Amino acid sequence: TAKGAGGGRTGDEDESEVTVDGNQKVVLSALASLERDMQVLDNLAGSRPQLSPLEVTLLTSSVLTAAGGPVFFPDAHRLPEVLAPAAAAFSAAIGIGAEYVGRVAVADGKEIAAATIQCAAEAEGLLANAERVKAVLPLCVGVGATAAPFSLLAPVFIDTFVQSTNWQVATELYLFCPLVAVLSAATSALALQETRAYSSRAISLGNRRFAKSGLVGRTWLSSTEQIKGSSQRTTDRWKSFVVSVLPAPILGALIPAALPAKAIVVTVLGAAQSAFYLAQAEYTLARATDAVALKARSAAVADTYANQGARSAAILPFTSALSALCAAVTAAIVELPMLEGLASASGPASTVTQVVLISFFPTLSALFASAASVSKARCEVDAEAASQAAATLALEYEMVGGNEENDPVLRPFRGVMDLIRLTVGSGWKSLRRNRTAR
């Protein structure tokens, strides 16, 4: 119920605001779910031990070596000064190696994502060409649809303005509208063939480029097969042109009627052919649009995982720098006079103090190397995810074994039926809801 005229708000406006708020919450929830899904792989990689047994052994040995110098070689003052910096540098080297592996994985993911984006852009270009060619079809349909009523008016016009003795002019006027309709149908047929060619290229683009080695045979064609396929496409184009031109005049000639009636039949058939070709072109273009959208989505997913890997790799130089810093600090500590005084002193307290001072930074260096290994594993997982996302561009966009369920691209007729089913179902639920509310 509407409120007063002084700036009141209606119940429909309130319901509209509630709907907008509800849609916004749904969108935000979907975005949050996507963000969580992106973090699943990284969390999974971080929850598992990423250090190999060899790396664990090496890092542990480096820390024990640095800590065991003052214990096992108490009389050799110079030996611990060499072992501790060497152990810290060795741990730093392992962390730097993890950085290298992670950086390489990120570079691979970035390159794969760039290739998928390039493929999606090429498919977009082919789709644009198909759209450009298809743009003439509505014009042809409009011309044919305009010629049909004019063919009905032609007898009246000729009887009114053309003298009955001038049969040549009358015949030309009778044949003008059928000629226009047939030419429109022929143009529509050629445009349909071009649209199909561009759409087919857009749909199949990337099938071979991103196919795995075991699936290349599905998209591989020899030179002989490619030549035959090109020749067959040219032949089909000419057949389509002939089929679009001949049926209407032949049927018009076979009809036992006067010339005006024949002209009307031919014009109507030509207009119907143009409309039929437009429907076929829209069917083909709908599939191509959906296939290109799938490619763009796969490219976006691959690029997203590549960027996620770049985020994981962003901390790798910092961990390497910290490991190098620990190695440098360890080398500086062993040169302190205090350590020489502790080494010359006897007793367990001085030994423990010396062990703690010498092994502290090598231990930190080993921990930083471990952290770099976890980040490296995340980079590798994200790069593999980008690779798998890119592999979806190689899906065969054709029915395999005659089973339509294997075709991931939109089936327009099935899509229309699904939309009708959803519309009827939602309308029925709304009607039942309103009846219940009353």
Side-chain angles (χ1 to χ4, degrees), residues 135-392:
V136 76
L137 284 170
L139 176 62
C140 294
V141 173
V143 171
T146 304
F150 274 103
S151 66
L152 296 174
L153 297 176
V156 179
F157 178 81
I158 292 173
D159 292 341
T160 304
F161 298 100
V162 180
Q163 297 179 359
S164 59
T165 56
N166 195 351
W167 292 106
Q168 182 177 358
V169 176
T171 303
E172 291 176 354
L173 291 176
Y174 278 130
L175 296 179
F176 177 74
C177 290
L179 178 63
V180 171
V182 171
L183 288 178
S184 298
T187 305
S188 300
L190 292 177
L192 173 62
Q193 291 299 320
E194 289 294 320
T195 303
R196 282 176 172 173
Y198 282 119
S199 298
S200 177
R201 290 175 60 189
I203 290 173
S204 61
L205 185 67
N207 282 2
R208 179 175 175 81
R209 190 182 307 179
F210 293 96
K212 296 182 179 180
S213 58
L215 302 176
V216 173
R218 297 184 179 181
T219 58
W220 184 84
L221 292 176
S222 65
S223 298
T224 305
E225 291 173 327
Q226 293 178 15
I227 293 173
K228 290 182 178 180
S230 177
S231 176
Q232 184 62 38
R233 286 191 293 271
T234 304
T235 303
D236 293 341
R237 187 178 292 111
W238 289 115
K239 286 181 180 180
S240 175
F241 179 79
V242 172
V243 169
S244 64
V245 171
L246 294 182
I250 292 176
L251 290 176
L254 295 177
I255 294 177
L259 181 59
K262 292 177 180 288
I264 293 172
V265 171
V266 173
T267 305
V268 172
L269 287 177
Q273 279 183 295
S274 298
F276 177 70
Y277 292 144
L278 175 61
Q280 284 186 309
E282 293 293 357
Y283 177 91
T284 303
L285 202 59
R287 284 179 54 81
T289 303
D290 186 68
V292 172
L294 287 175
K295 295 178 188 296
R297 186 180 66 181
S298 298
V301 172
D303 188 53
T304 302
Y305 277 115
N307 291 328
Q308 187 73 9
R311 289 186 61 190
S312 299
I315 200 172
L316 285 174
F318 183 64
T319 57
S320 299
L322 290 177
S323 298
L325 177 62
C326 290
V329 172
T330 303
I333 287 178
V334 295
E335 298 297 332
L336 293 177
M338 180 179 62
L339 286 180
E340 295 181 3
L342 291 174
S344 60
S346 60
S350 61
T351 303
V352 171
T353 303
Q354 190 177 5
V355 167
V356 171
L357 290 176
I358 289 179
S359 65
F360 179 74
F361 286 100
T363 303
L364 286 181
S365 180
L367 292 177
F368 293 145
S370 302
S373 298
V374 175
S375 183
K376 173 204 70 174
R378 290 181 174 180
C379 295
E380 291 177 332
V381 168
D382 290 328
E384 180 63 24
S387 176
Q388 294 299 326
T392 58

Side-chain angles (χ1 to χ4, degrees), residues 12-241:
D12 293 337
E13 292 177 349
D14 294 337
E15 183 177 355
S16 176
E17 286 191 2
V18 171
T19 303
V20 171
D21 292 339
N23 292 337
Q24 186 177 7
K25 291 180 180 179
V26 171
V27 171
L28 293 177
S29 176
L31 292 176
S33 178
L34 288 175
E35 184 66 25
R36 288 194 299 270
D37 292 340
M38 294 301 302
Q39 297 291 338
V40 167
L41 290 177
D42 289 347
N43 295 335
L44 182 62
S47 62
R48 296 178 179 178
Q50 300 302 332
L51 291 175
S52 64
L54 178 61
E55 291 175 334
V56 173
T57 302
L58 293 177
L59 291 175
T60 305
S61 300
S62 65
V63 174
L64 294 178
T65 300
V71 177
F72 297 104
F73 306 99
D75 297 330
H77 302 298
R78 291 297 178 183
L79 189 58
E81 296 179 2
V82 176
L83 292 178
F90 185 74
S91 300
I94 293 177
I96 294 173
E99 179 189 359
Y100 168 77
V101 175
R103 285 293 186 177
V104 170
V106 170
D108 292 342
K110 284 289 188 179
E111 187 174 1
I112 291 171
T116 58
I117 293 173
Q118 180 182 1
C119 178
E122 293 177 9
E124 289 281 0
L126 293 172
L127 181 62
N129 288 330
E131 290 275 7
R132 184 185 299 113
V133 174
K134 194 269 305 180
V136 76
L137 284 170
L139 176 62
C140 294
V141 173
V143 171
T146 304
F150 274 103
S151 66
L152 296 174
L153 297 176
V156 179
F157 178 81
I158 292 173
D159 292 341
T160 304
F161 298 100
V162 180
Q163 297 179 359
S164 59
T165 56
N166 195 351
W167 292 106
Q168 182 177 358
V169 176
T171 303
E172 291 176 354
L173 291 176
Y174 278 130
L175 296 179
F176 177 74
C177 290
L179 178 63
V180 171
V182 171
L183 288 178
S184 298
T187 305
S188 300
L190 292 177
L192 173 62
Q193 291 299 320
E194 289 294 320
T195 303
R196 282 176 172 173
Y198 282 119
S199 298
S200 177
R201 290 175 60 189
I203 290 173
S204 61
L205 185 67
N207 282 2
R208 179 175 175 81
R209 190 182 307 179
F210 293 96
K212 296 182 179 180
S213 58
L215 302 176
V216 173
R218 297 184 179 181
T219 58
W220 184 84
L221 292 176
S222 65
S223 298
T224 305
E225 291 173 327
Q226 293 178 15
I227 293 173
K228 290 182 178 180
S230 177
S231 176
Q232 184 62 38
R233 286 191 293 271
T234 304
T235 303
D236 293 341
R237 187 178 292 111
W238 289 115
K239 286 181 180 180
S240 175
F241 179 79

